[in-house]
Amino acid sequence: MSTLLEVQGLHAGYGPVEVLRDVSLTVEQGQVAVVLGANGAGKTTLLRALSGIIKGRGRATLDGRQLLGLPSERIAALGVSHVPQGRGTFANMTVEENLRIGAHLSRGDEKAEIGKWYEIFPRLGDRRTQQAGSLSGGEQQMLAVARALMPGPRLLLLDEPSLGLAPNTTRDLFASLGRINAETGTAMLIVEQNAHLALDIGSTAMLLEAGRMVSSGTAQELRDNDDIRRAYLGY
Amino acid sequence: MELFLQQLLDGLATGALYGALALSVVLVYRASGIVNFAQGEMAMFAAFLTWQAHTWGVPLVLAIGLSMLIAFAFGAGVERVLIRPFGTTAAAHLSLIIVTLGLMLVLTSGAGWTWGYLTKQVPPVFGEGVVDVGASAMSRQALGIILAVAVMSVLLYFLFQKTRLGLDMRAAASNPESARLSGIPVGRMLMLGWGLAGAIGALVGALAAPQLFLQPNMMAAMLLYAFAAATLGGFDSPVGALIGGLLVGVLENMAGTYIDIIGNDFKQAVALIIIMAVLLFKPEGLFGSRTVARV
Ligand SMILES: Nc1ncnc2c1ncn2[C@@H]1O[C@H](COP(=O)(O)OP(=O)(O)OP(=O)(O)O)[C@@H](O)[C@H]1O
Ligand SMILES: [Mg+2]
C-alpha cells in the first residue's frame, strides 16, 4: 500500500489563535482513517486546514503534492472532497441541483452518476425536486455524502457524519460508507464521535487532544487502549 | 377605464426599467451580500458611453452592445479591485457600502467632468411614434423597453436555470464555502455576477436616457425605485426584482394620476412608502427567502 495523504508538522488556527500544533498523520490509498477527540480538540480545524478553508503551516501532501497554500477549489480539483460539519448543502437549491454541483469536477456522464446515487440512497431519488434545506437531517447527510462523492474523489474528508442522526440512520450511513470504500477504493478521513461505528469501518485511528495528536495506530490498537475505551467507547 | 389602461401600460414600461435595474442590484446582493449604491451611476456612465459612441457615428444598437460589454468588464473589475479585498464577512459590510458610495460620487463627477452637466438628447432606441394596444396607445419606445427587458429576462433565466455556468453561479451565491469545496472558482463567479449586473445596468441606462435626458444625475431617482422594487420582490430574488419593478412602476403611475396630492411632484414618496411598508410588514418581500439579512 502506498501513502495517499501525508501530514507532517501541521500547524493551523484562526488569526492569532493556534489550534493545531505539530500534527502528523498518514492515510494510505483506499484506507479509512478515523480521528477521535473531545469537543474543541481541533478535529474540524484539521479537516478545514486540509481542504484549504483555513490556512495551515507545515506539510500536507496528496500523492506528494503539497496542499497547504492552495485555494479550496484547487484542492478539490486534486481529488479531495470535504463534507463539512453541519453538512454544507445548498439549502435553497434542489436535491438534484446539489448533486449536479457535486459533479462540477467529474468528467463522467452526469445523469448516470446521479442515477447511481439515487440507487444507493433511494430517499434522495424520491425527493429530487425538493429543496435541500427542507430535507430531514439524515437525508441531508446522505445528500452531502453523495454530493461529495459525485466527482469520484481520491480522499473523502467527513466531519461528524452522525451529527443529529438517529442511531439506526447512523448505522445505515456507516454501512453505506463502508460499502462505498470497499467498492470504489475511495480513501476516507473520518472525524466521528460515534467511535464504535467509525472504528468498525476504519483500519487506522488517531486521537487528537487540545490540538495535538496524542496517539495513533490501527483501529484495533485504539480500541484496546484503556483510556480511549473509557472516554470514547464508554465501557 | 381608458385612462386606467393607459396608465397601466405606461407604468409597465417604466416598471420594466425599475425591475431591470433592481435585478442588477439583486445580482450583486446575492453575490457579495451588499447593496451597490453605485449601480445607478454605473448605468448612467454606460449611457454616456452609448451616447458618445452614437455621436461618433456608431449605430445605436451597436453602441448599446459595446457599452454593455464595457460595463460588464467594469462591473467585474469593481468586484475584483474594490470589493474583494475587504472580504465578505458581515464586519466588512459597512466599509463596502462606503466604497460603493465613493464609487457613485467618482462616477458622477467623472461623467460631469467629461461630458458636462447639461442634458443631452438621446434618440429613442425603438424610434418615434406610437403603437395601438387595444383602445390605448403606447409609444414605440415604451413597447420596445418592455420587450427588451422581457428578452433579457428570458436569456438570464436560461443562463441561471439551464446552464452549468448558471448553476455554478447560483451555488457560489448560495454557499460560497461549499461551492469552493466542490471545485467552483467562487471568485470568478462573483466577478461574473457583478459583470452581468453592470451590463444590465448599461441596457437600462440606454433605454431610459431618451426619457430622463442624459445627465450625470439621471439615475439617482431611478435607483430609489429600483431599491423599492428589489425590497418588494425580496432582495435575494431575481424574479422578485422584475415583478417588484413592474408593480412599483404601475403603483407609482397610478398614485400620481389618481391621488391628487401626490401628482408628479411627490411620486418619489411612493418608492419610500413601499420600502417602509414592506420592511415593516413583510421584510422578506414577495419572493425572498426569510433568512435574508436587512440592509
Ligand atoms: N472560526 C473560529 N474562530 C476562532 N476560533 C475557532 C473557530 N472555530 C473553532 N475555533 C476554536 O478552535 C478550537 C477547535 O475547534 P474545532 O471546531 O476544530 O473543534 P472540534 O474538535 O471539531 O470540536 P467538535 O467536536 O465540538 O466539533 C476550539 O477551541 C474553538 O473555539
Ligand atoms: Mg468539529
Side-chain angles (χ1 to χ4, degrees):
Chain A
M1 245 193 280
S2 60
T3 301
L4 177 65
L5 176 74
E6 175 146 40
V7 178
Q8 265 170 1
L10 171 66
H11 293 253
Y14 304 90
V17 188
E18 194 171 73
V19 175
L20 294 182
R21 296 192 193 87
D22 197 20
V23 168
S24 300
L25 64 95
T26 53
V27 179
E28 308 291 324
Q29 305 271 12
Q31 187 188 59
V32 176
V34 178
V35 180
L36 301 175
N39 294 128
K43 306 181 298 294
T44 296
T45 306
L46 171 64
L47 297 195
R48 289 164 70 88
L50 291 179
S51 62
I53 298 173
I54 60 169
K55 289 198 170 61
R57 283 185 299 115
R59 274 187 78 68
T61 55
L62 188 82
D63 263 344
R65 280 191 72 158
Q66 168 74 299
L67 299 177
L68 302 181
L70 296 180
S72 315
E73 60 262 33
R74 291 271 297 113
I75 293 176
L78 290 174
V80 178
S81 227
H82 181 178
V83 180
Q85 188 167 3
R87 301 172 190 125
T89 48
F90 299 89
N92 59 352
M93 300 170 81
T94 66
V95 168
E96 181 125 347
E97 284 172 340
N98 269 266
L99 292 176
R100 289 182 54 211
I101 294 165
H104 180 88
L105 291 167
S106 82
R107 262 157 266 299
D109 175 7
E110 187 177 293
K111 279 233 160 59
E113 278 289 303
I114 292 176
K116 200 185 83 192
W117 286 103
Y118 287 157
E119 265 169 44
I120 298 173
F121 298 122
R123 300 178 71 92
L124 294 182
D126 299 340
R127 289 163 180 72
R128 62 186 76 189
T129 57
Q130 200 172 315
Q131 303 240 310
S134 69
L135 296 177
S136 80
E139 290 158 359
Q140 289 202 31
Q141 194 67 63
M142 291 171 204
L143 178 61
V145 169
R147 181 171 59 79
L149 287 168
M150 275 294 292
R154 319 198 43 208
L155 175 65
L156 181 68
L157 307 175
L158 268 173
D159 200 343
E160 300 204 26
S162 73
L163 195 75
L165 301 191
N168 57 347
T169 315
T170 308
R171 221 171 301 122
D172 292 347
L173 182 70
F174 271 91
S176 306
L177 289 173
R179 244 190 341 267
I180 290 163
N181 169 253
E183 280 166 19
T184 63
T186 307
M188 302 180 183
L189 184 61
I190 304 182
V191 165
E192 184 51 63
Q193 299 288 355
N194 194 325
H196 279 292
L197 285 172
L199 290 176
D200 275 350
I201 68 165
S203 45
T204 63
M206 54 212 105
L207 179 63
L208 202 60
E209 254 173 31
R212 290 179 190 279
M213 202 60 90
V214 292
S215 60
S216 64
T218 66
Q220 193 54 46
E221 280 165 9
L222 265 83
R223 247 198 227 100
D224 294 341
N225 178 314
D226 285 342
D227 293 339
I228 290 176
R229 216 182 54 217
R230 241 169 283 144
Y232 297 98
L233 297 169
Y235 57 86
Chain B
M1 187 61 207
E2 242 162 78
L3 177 68
F4 178 82
L5 206 65
Q6 189 63 51
Q7 292 301 322
L8 182 71
L9 290 174
D10 291 347
L12 285 178
T14 37
L17 290 177
Y18 298 162
L21 191 61
L23 182 60
S24 56
V25 170
V26 163
L27 286 180
V28 162
Y29 182 80
R30 281 163 52 102
S32 302
I34 57 156
V35 172
N36 177 10
F37 286 94
Q39 203 74 56
E41 276 58 35
M42 285 164 70
M44 170 278 294
F45 207 91
F48 266 107
L49 293 180
T50 304
W51 171 83
Q52 184 68 75
H54 183 59
T55 51
W56 283 340
V58 179
L60 193 52
V61 174
L62 191 63
I64 294 176
L66 280 175
S67 83
M68 284 176 76
L69 276 181
I70 295 171
F72 180 94
F74 184 78
V78 166
E79 194 281 329
R80 185 70 191 86
V81 176
L82 296 182
I83 304 298
R84 198 164 330 157
F86 289 92
T88 49
T89 57
H93 283 186
L94 184 61
S95 326
L96 286 174
I97 285 171
I98 291 169
V99 167
T100 70
L101 284 170
L103 179 62
M104 173 176 129
L105 289 178
V106 169
L107 287 172
T108 312
S109 32
W113 185 77
T114 316
W115 291 291
Y117 288 90
L118 297 176
T119 59
K120 310 223 169 342
Q121 275 285 353
V122 179
V125 187
F126 301 98
E128 312 279 356
V130 292
V131 184
D132 289 332
V133 181
S136 317
M138 222 178 172
S139 71
R140 286 173 60 99
Q141 175 74 359
L143 190 64
I145 285 173
I146 292 176
L147 290 178
V149 171
V151 167
M152 177 207 76
S153 309
V154 169
L155 287 177
L156 283 175
Y157 176 84
F158 183 82
L159 170 69
F160 282 116
Q161 299 297 328
K162 303 288 173 198
T163 70
R164 178 84 233 176
L165 182 64
L167 184 71
D168 290 352
M169 288 180 73
R170 284 191 294 139
S174 162
N175 188 339
E177 186 177 290
S178 287
R180 275 195 199 95
L181 292 177
S182 301
I184 295 170
V186 169
R188 235 177 290 162
M189 298 300 134
L190 299 188
M191 286 172 75
L192 214 57
W194 278 74
L196 279 179
I200 295 167
L203 179 67
V204 172
L207 294 176
Q211 221 171 340
L212 296 176
F213 299 112
L214 186 56
Q215 47 96 3
N217 292 311
M218 172 178 91
M219 298 297 282
M222 194 188 272
L223 190 65
L224 184 65
Y225 288 112
F227 284 165
T231 310
L232 180 59
F235 238 96
D236 61 348
S237 164
V239 175
L242 285 165
I243 294 177
L246 294 176
L247 286 173
V248 170
V250 170
L251 273 176
E252 174 216 10
N253 229 15
M254 296 288 177
T257 312
Y258 292 105
I259 305 175
D260 283 342
I261 56 160
I262 290 182
N264 243 333
D265 301 324
F266 285 109
K267 270 185 171 182
Q268 285 179 32
V270 175
L272 196 61
I273 292 168
I274 292 173
I275 292 177
M276 291 287 296
V278 175
L279 289 185
L280 281 174
F281 299 112
K282 195 167 165 40
E284 73 277 15
L286 297 176
F287 299 91
S289 54
R290 248 160 238 280
T291 51
V292 174
R294 289 299 113 209
V295 274

